[in-house]
Amino acid sequence: MLDEYSIEQRATQIFDARSKEYFSEVLSCYAAGNHRSAVVMLWSVVVCDLLFKLQHLVDLYGDDKAKTILAEVGKLQQANERSSEWESKLVESVAEQTQLLDIAERENLLHLQRQRHLAAHPVVNANFQLHRPNRDTARALIRNALDGLLTKAPILSKQIVGDLVEDLEQASGILIDDKKLKAYLESKYFSSFNPEVEKAVFKALWKFVFRLTDEKCEKNRTINYSALTLLYGRNPAQFQTQIEADRDYFSTIATGGSPLVYLIHFLSRSARIYGLLADHAKTAIQHTAEQETSARCLAWFISGSLEEHAARLGEWIAGADYPQIDQGTWESLRDLSDSPEWAKASIRLANKYYVASGSYNAADQRFSEVIRPALGRYSIDDCIDLIEGIQGNSQTWERGRARGDHRLLRARAVELDPAFDPTEFAVFNRYLD
């Protein structure tokens, strides 16, 4: 089978510019067939890269684990400048105290060190020949070093969750929208995460947002939720697999209140997760959806389909409860799907909501917040549906602002169909001329 892995291409992705420069010497030796020299130089690059990454963590994050490791290896160097013991200690400490290296990657680097010793030291075999790694061995060592270390951005130690959450709390005043928050998190955190760190952070944020109800979690729930959704969006399949594998943990949620409202908002964007949760979690979610307005609007996954959800919402909106649905919820409701069918359904729900207005003030507000922003998306049949509904409720057509509002609706209908005759709808048309 053809090996399509390109060392040259992968080398362009080395994180640290200094390591990339040093690695060019490894490439030069390897290309010239000097495999012994390539292996010797590769180990030096790996050691330097580990030191660079640790110093990066100290400089950027003030990371205590990185400080400790650098101090320990520095003492070992001073104690015996000729010994290479500190190099092994460096690999072991990074693997044990940070999440930069997993077990397999640590063993690969220690194997490289042994190969480096064989290649660098004047050890001869029975035929008095120096050890010379073959091309396949050199290629495997180079590939493991690239994938396991050199191309990886430095990440935080195991204290990452606390550091990230504290950072979000302090920066919440300037990270006022998801666009700014995404840029911030990508630059400072997400770009440095490997899958294991991603899963650890996702697990912790899930607890902070959807389970805990203490004062600090309540204060930071919004920004933590935004961080969680942005992290989830990087690799939904990975996190769905994580939830499925650890069902009990992720099913341990609050019994109600804002954590469940936030969870329903989250599930509205990733309904598959709802099916992965335990029954007791689903019961709590269903109860919250029945009690809280925005949760009820967005919990379409309980109905099983958007079509069924629209039918249930329509009955509720037009019923005796007179629900008050804020503008943000309407925007989230429209964003549940980008299908033409759902766009049509959300418009018809907006029509029902306006037509069900129980007072002049309610009708003023509902037209302003729900109908007017959506008029540009109306088709002629949507306009007629709304006009017919208006005819049946004097709270919509008798109010003072109806003249200006309904002229906008009539103009949209005429724009779509120049043959549209508003005089066919006597009540709707009576105050427009």
Side-chain angles (χ1 to χ4, degrees), residues 324 357-367 395 399 401:
Q324 297 300 311
S357 299
S359 67
Y360 295 157
N361 289 339
D364 285 345
Q365 181 179 10
R366 292 182 179 194
F367 192 94
Q395 301 301 316
R399 62 193 177 90
R401 285 164 52 182

Side-chain angles (χ1 to χ4, degrees), residues 4-189:
E4 297 180 353
Y5 186 92
S6 171
I7 290 176
E8 292 79 5
Q9 176 61 35
R10 190 66 167 144
T12 65
Q13 301 172 18
I14 293 175
F15 178 82
D16 193 281
R18 294 163 294 180
S19 296
K20 185 181 293 186
E21 179 184 352
Y22 298 156
F23 187 81
S24 64
E25 187 173 337
V26 176
L27 269 181
S28 177
C29 293
Y30 176 74
N34 300 324
H35 303 138
R36 183 188 303 113
S37 298
V39 170
V40 172
M41 185 60 189
L42 180 63
W43 174 249
S44 297
V45 175
V46 163
V47 171
C48 288
D49 193 70
L50 284 171
L51 295 173
F52 295 155
K53 283 179 165 59
L54 290 173
Q55 191 61 52
H56 181 91
L57 293 178
V58 173
D59 293 342
L60 191 59
Y61 302 108
D63 188 78
D64 291 334
K65 299 285 187 180
K67 290 178 184 177
T68 300
I69 295 172
L70 288 173
E72 289 176 350
V73 297
K75 289 179 182 178
L76 289 174
Q77 283 181 301
Q78 293 176 0
N80 190 344
E81 295 180 354
R82 297 183 178 182
S83 173
S84 62
E85 177 188 356
W86 70 272
E87 297 174 1
S88 301
K89 178 66 175 177
L90 175 64
V91 174
E92 295 284 1
S93 297
V94 169
E96 291 172 1
Q97 300 182 46
T98 77
Q99 295 191 13
L100 180 58
L101 299 174
D102 61 25
I103 295 175
E105 291 162 348
R106 178 191 65 186
E107 292 305 312
N108 284 337
L109 294 187
L110 293 177
H111 176 61
L112 169 61
Q113 184 188 34
R114 291 189 289 270
Q115 290 295 312
R116 179 264 177 195
H117 288 341
L118 288 173
H121 295 166
V123 177
V124 294
N125 60 19
N127 296 320
F128 301 100
Q129 293 177 330
L130 286 172
H131 172 72
R132 182 177 183 178
N134 60 38
R135 180 179 177 84
D136 290 339
T137 298
R139 179 177 175 80
L141 293 171
I142 292 171
R143 180 171 180 172
N144 287 338
L146 282 168
D147 293 346
L149 176 65
L150 299 178
T151 58
K152 293 163 63 175
I155 59 172
L156 297 175
S157 65
K158 295 176 182 178
Q159 300 300 316
I160 182 174
V161 172
D163 293 341
L164 185 147
V165 171
E166 182 178 350
D167 194 10
L168 286 175
E169 180 177 9
Q170 294 176 352
S172 60
I174 62 173
L175 303 176
I176 57 177
D177 56 46
D178 279 355
K179 184 177 181 180
K180 290 183 178 179
L181 179 60
K182 182 178 181 179
Y184 182 83
L185 290 175
E186 287 286 350
S187 174
K188 190 169 183 180
Y189 292 100

Side-chain angles (χ1 to χ4, degrees), residues 244-256:
E244 187 173 18
D246 199 358
R247 185 186 187 201
D248 289 343
Y249 176 90
F250 288 97
S251 295
T252 304
I253 56 178
T255 56

Side-chain angles (χ1 to χ4, degrees), residues 286-343:
Q286 291 166 10
H287 178 73
T288 298
E290 293 171 356
Q291 301 299 317
E292 207 277 337
T293 298
S294 68
R296 185 165 188 167
C297 290
L298 301 181
W300 69 270
F301 45 86
I302 295 175
S303 300
S305 72
L306 282 168
E307 182 180 9
E308 177 62 24
H309 182 61
R312 293 183 181 182
L313 275 187
E315 293 175 1
W316 174 58
I317 287 172
D321 290 344
Y322 293 102
Q324 297 300 311
I325 305 172
D326 62 67
Q327 197 168 5
T329 299
W330 277 107
E331 293 172 0
S332 297
L333 185 65
R334 286 193 293 266
D335 290 341
L336 288 180
S337 173
D338 57 5
S339 72
E341 294 79 10
W342 181 248

